[in-house]
Amino acid sequence: MDSATTRKAIDLSHHLNELSRSRVASPLKDIIKYMKEPGIISLAGGLPHPSFFPFGEMNTKVYAPAVDLHSSEEPSWPIELFIPKNASSSHKNTLSAALQYGSSYGSVSLSSFIREFTSRVMAPAYSDFEILLHSGNTDAWNKVVNILCEYGDYILVEEYTYPSAQALWAPMGCRGVPISIDKDGLVPESLKSTLKKWEHTHPGVKRPHLLYSVPVGHNPTGATLSVERKKAIYKICVDFDIIICEDDPYYFLQFPPYVFPSQRKPQKTGGSSDITSENMAFNRQAYVESLVPTFLSLDVQGRVIRLDTFSKTLGPGNRLGYFVCNPLFAERLLRATEVTTQAPSGLSQALVEELLNTWGQEGYLRWLMGLRDSYTTRRNWMCDIIAENFDLLPSPLNIVDDVVAVQKGHGLTKEVVPFFSFSFPKGGMFLWIRIFLVSNATYQNMKTTSSSNAIATARWAEAFWMDLIKEKILLTPGSYYTPIIGVNERMVQEPDVVFFRLAFSFETREMMQTGIERMANVFNRWWM
């Protein structure tokens, strides 16, 4: 049998759209190639002279990879990074290069670091994968759509999908094909059923050939696909010749199962009860094995285009990430990059390159483990505070979430009125609540004055959201994530239910406490 070290990606060129097939290489790349010849004098390129760049050098301080982010004391920045204007024997990473026009491939040194990291942590299942830098996953997804999709194509998406991911293909006349998700992510049986029935449900219409998925810490639901589901989904995509776009910004923010405070092991710093930077010496292998394997690690054909980003690990303002994909797709993405963004910010590349090469492979993994621990703690804060302000009951069989929230002090009454249900997030930054409207008197009154249940639901959601805002608590309406399935048309919503997304990534514990208390006040008022 072939192994990952000898296996090559198969030919998937039939997936390219007409625009991508028509792109040619920029002729300027030949000039850049010859400019690197030893001894050559270039009067060809229109490069500004580096002496006219007003920046002399860059000095900054950064955390050590093992910094305790839970400490009540202000963390120190013991590592100093230095990027000089010009190269020397000790510094090849320079501002002269970072601020100059550069290759659309991106930094060779940074790409080399990423390739080694990808090989060690993601373990791609074929050998000729390519790394190509991009300007963040939204930029990357835009480029994927523009090499694979024709005007009017259908795209397979989760039934709740990040709005910007849809907004970029909607003007192309593309339409989403919603695939059911539950608390564990995309449901393989739903994907298979949709594809098997396609010719019957959409006679004469080209079957979708692209699946867009956020498999870890799904935005907005917080669900994380298991490796078993990923294997099932990948097999279906092989059987139906589907390309998988694995948009995975939250991959390193995977959490152990939530445990209620009364059942939680005591912690010195409030971290999770799983592998933490505080209670365990760093074990690279144990940490990597704790992560759910990627679609990339299962991909023996090269049909996964993986989108990775530093936005959630080093800061979104860097606008820096990378594709991992087969050579054919990488070359077509490169051609598209040459005539659009050209390359990610040179300053961002230089800064991230200097940081990662200073930390090293082990240091970066150590940092990621500390981040996972910190976001686990934040997840716990939010779930703990919700449990303090509502009674949480195990969900009945007809509700797919983990728990149902009812008014505080009413959990043991005979007639329990559910406010909402949710599942404890397994990754990412978000908690997704499902509000039940059947028992709400305001909603029932709105139904009598609305032409349809859908209109009544939308009216109620808007009024409830505005009341939350008056109470000085802001949530994201779930309607924002409804797939676009046609011109000015979105997926039909579940009847008598409204969704909202809560983020635990930013506010302090004290602010979360105040915010969820305010949210509880609004719920209590609307169900009086």
Side-chain angles (χ1 to χ4, degrees):
M1 291 181 63
D2 291 341
S3 67
T5 57
T6 60
R7 188 183 295 120
K8 305 289 186 182
I10 66 172
D11 180 9
L12 294 165
S13 58
H14 58 283
H15 284 281
L16 296 172
N17 64 14
E18 189 63 31
L19 174 65
S20 184
R21 292 171 187 272
S22 302
R23 288 198 189 277
V24 297
S26 169
L28 294 176
K29 74 170 189 170
D30 290 331
I31 291 177
I32 294 172
K33 178 179 67 175
Y34 289 119
M35 284 174 64
K36 297 178 181 178
E37 289 277 333
I40 201 162
I41 297 174
S42 173
L43 303 181
L47 278 63
H49 197 275
S51 65
F52 300 149
F53 301 158
F55 305 95
E57 61 184 33
M58 183 184 291
N59 293 275
T60 188
K61 295 180 179 181
V62 299
Y63 290 142
V67 63
D68 181 4
L69 296 173
H70 295 296
S71 175
S72 57
E73 300 178 1
E74 181 71 18
S76 62
W77 293 271
I79 298 175
E80 295 190 7
L81 302 183
F82 171 64
I83 304 175
K85 179 71 171 278
N86 299 308
S88 66
S89 58
S90 59
H91 283 91
K92 304 301 181 186
N93 184 17
T94 68
L95 291 181
S96 292
L99 294 168
Q100 190 56 271
Y101 289 117
S103 165
S104 294
Y105 282 104
S107 162
V108 173
S109 176
L110 180 56
S111 296
S112 177
F113 183 100
I114 291 168
R115 185 176 183 89
E116 180 182 350
F117 180 80
T118 300
S119 297
R120 297 174 70 189
V121 178
M122 309 297 178
Y126 64 100
S127 62
D128 58 340
F129 67 91
E130 296 281 346
I131 302 292
L132 180 64
L133 299 186
H134 59 63
S135 300
N137 280 14
T138 301
D139 166 60
W141 170 233
N142 180 54
K143 289 171 180 171
V144 169
V145 169
N146 279 281
I147 70 165
L148 297 181
C149 296
E150 303 286 4
Y151 185 91
D153 271 3
Y154 284 78
I155 300 172
L156 299 161
V157 296
E158 288 131 338
E159 66 177 318
Y160 296 101
T161 294
Y162 182 55
S164 295
Q166 304 182 63
L168 67 86
W169 48 252
M172 295 173 58
C174 293
R175 304 180 181 195
V177 181
I179 305 300
S180 297
I181 58 174
D182 59 19
K183 65 178 183 177
D184 298 312
L186 190 147
V187 178
E189 294 78 9
S190 176
L191 175 62
K192 186 173 183 178
S193 174
T194 297
L195 293 169
K196 283 184 69 174
K197 296 177 181 177
W198 186 261
E199 292 183 2
H200 176 72
T201 57
H202 296 76
V205 177
K206 185 175 75 171
R207 194 174 65 199
H209 68 117
L210 175 61
L211 167 64
Y212 174 77
S213 176
V214 180
V216 172
H218 177 254
N219 184 4
T221 69
T224 293
L225 282 173
S226 66
V227 67
E228 291 77 20
R229 281 203 180 185
K230 285 183 177 179
K231 288 178 179 178
I233 291 165
Y234 182 77
K235 184 180 184 305
I236 293 165
C237 289
V238 170
D239 292 343
F240 288 90
D241 193 22
I242 307 294
I243 301 299
I244 301 172
C245 183
E246 182 178 25
D247 186 357
D248 222 356
Y250 309 102
Y251 182 71
F252 294 102
L253 307 184
Q254 297 184 37
F255 311 143
Y258 174 75
V259 177
F260 284 99
S262 61
Q263 302 165 354
R264 201 173 297 158
K265 295 179 181 178
Q267 297 282 312
K268 291 182 181 179
T269 57
S272 74
S273 59
D274 195 55
I275 302 171
T276 69
S277 53
E278 201 284 327
N279 66 16
M280 178 179 175
F282 178 60
N283 183 321
R284 182 186 72 83
Q285 193 62 30
Y287 171 59
V288 172
E289 289 178 357
S290 74
L291 302 172
V292 177
T294 62
F295 275 116
L296 185 68
S297 70
L298 307 174
D299 183 19
V300 296
Q301 296 186 332
R303 64 176 59 251
V304 173
I305 302 177
R306 180 173 171 81
L307 312 184
D308 264 300
T309 179
F310 295 109
S311 291
K312 306 305 186 292
T313 57
L314 300 180
N318 288 301
R319 305 315 307 142
L320 185 61
Y322 52 96
F323 297 99
V324 188
C325 60
N326 70 50
L328 170 73
F329 289 166
E331 190 271 340
R332 291 291 89 189
L333 288 164
L334 179 65
R335 298 287 84 85
T337 298
E338 287 172 344
V339 295
T340 52
T341 55
Q342 295 192 342
S345 163
L347 279 176
S348 291
Q349 291 187 65
L351 188 61
V352 171
E353 176 185 323
E354 194 69 21
L355 174 67
L356 294 182
N357 283 332
T358 299
W359 276 355
Q361 297 282 336
E362 298 298 310
Y364 185 42
L365 279 169
R366 188 70 157 83
W367 169 256
L368 294 173
M369 191 179 84
L371 276 186
R372 188 273 297 267
D373 183 32
S374 297
Y375 279 102
T376 298
T377 297
R378 286 179 162 273
R379 185 275 310 265
N380 290 348
W381 287 350
M382 178 162 281
C383 295
D384 293 352
I385 295 168
I386 291 175
E388 292 169 7
N389 286 273
F390 300 88
D391 284 345
L392 300 185
L393 309 176
S395 289
L397 293 178
N398 63 329
I399 297 178
V400 297
D401 291 318
D402 289 335
V403 291
V404 172
V406 304
Q407 187 172 1
K408 193 68 178 176
H410 289 227
L412 297 178
T413 60
K414 290 183 179 180
E415 294 186 7
V416 174
V417 177
F419 285 166
F420 60 89
S421 66
F422 70 95
S423 291
F424 302 114
K426 298 177 182 177
M429 298 179 170
F430 309 112
L431 184 146
W432 181 246
I433 65 171
R434 178 194 314 259
I435 303 176
F436 302 103
L437 305 184
V438 172
S439 60
N440 184 265
T442 302
Y443 173 66
Q444 295 301 331
N445 290 335
M446 287 182 175
K447 285 174 68 174
T448 64
T449 58
S450 301
S451 59
S452 69
N453 282 7
I455 291 175
T457 300
R459 286 176 59 199
W460 189 96
E462 177 71 14
F464 186 76
W465 188 50
M466 293 309 299
D467 207 23
L468 288 167
I469 292 171
K470 288 177 184 176
E471 193 77 17
K472 300 297 184 184
I473 174 65
L474 186 62
L475 312 182
T476 304
S479 58
Y480 290 6
Y481 302 88
T482 307
I484 299 169
I485 61 173
V487 178
N488 298 320
E489 183 183 4
R490 289 184 176 268
M491 181 188 77
V492 176
Q493 294 288 284
E494 185 178 339
D496 303 326
V497 167
V498 164
F499 294 90
F500 282 93
R501 192 196 73 175
L502 288 69
F504 50 82
S505 56
F506 187 78
E507 297 290 2
T508 63
R509 193 188 197 289
E510 292 71 25
M511 295 303 285
M512 280 190 209
Q513 179 80 47
T514 300
I516 292 172
E517 286 174 358
R518 292 173 179 175
M519 185 180 84
N521 290 338
V522 176
F523 270 100
N524 292 337
R525 199 161 58 235
W526 276 65
W527 265 266
M528 286 178 61

